[in-house]
Amino acid sequence: MAVHDGTRGDGDGNGRGRIPARISGIADNRPARIYLAVCAALVLWVALDAAFVPHEDASLAGVWPVAATAPTSLLALAVPLPDGPVGAALLLGLVSLAAVVNAGVLSAVLRRFRTRAARA
């Protein structure tokens, strides 16, 4: 008899291919995984742009992750953030959290449509 340990996987105990149950609802389909990968690439691009590319004026690279994670990231813009690198790091963290929330909503909507189509 198999014992459920709260993870998804092949069940052979080697740990390969196992997704914790808390995360599996967020990234349990391909569109949500692609969305998270695009958002992660955008956040990485902004971090590298801020760290290594000199700008005479402000860079608008940070607009892309905020736009990609809207509408949830718009709530993050309502939070007053300090200036400088600490504020930029907090903003990227809030945008990353917004991406995870949006991916969870996307997964829930797709799961709902798939179960509704299966019943029809």
Side-chain angles (χ1 to χ4, degrees):
M1 177 196 274
V3 176
H4 182 64
D5 61 355
T7 59
R8 293 176 54 190
D10 53 5
D12 62 357
N14 62 10
R16 290 181 299 163
R18 299 170 77 79
I19 300 172
R22 287 171 280 194
I23 298 172
S24 66
I26 295 171
D28 65 346
N29 55 49
R30 185 170 288 145
R33 289 182 191 137
I34 292 171
Y35 174 75
L36 283 175
V38 168
C39 290
L42 287 172
V43 167
L44 179 66
W45 171 55
V46 169
L48 291 175
D49 180 66
F52 298 114
V53 179
H55 298 284
E56 286 184 25
D57 203 3
S59 172
L60 289 177
V63 171
W64 290 102
V66 172
T69 57
T72 310
S73 63
L74 298 179
L75 297 173
L77 294 178
V79 176
L81 297 173
D83 291 336
V86 173
L90 285 173
L91 180 63
L92 288 179
L94 290 172
V95 166
S96 300
L97 180 65
V100 170
V101 169
N102 287 347
V105 170
L106 178 63
S107 290
V109 168
L110 288 174
R111 197 176 313 115
R112 177 73 175 157
F113 281 134
R114 287 179 182 162
T115 56
R116 182 178 286 176
R119 281 187 268 165

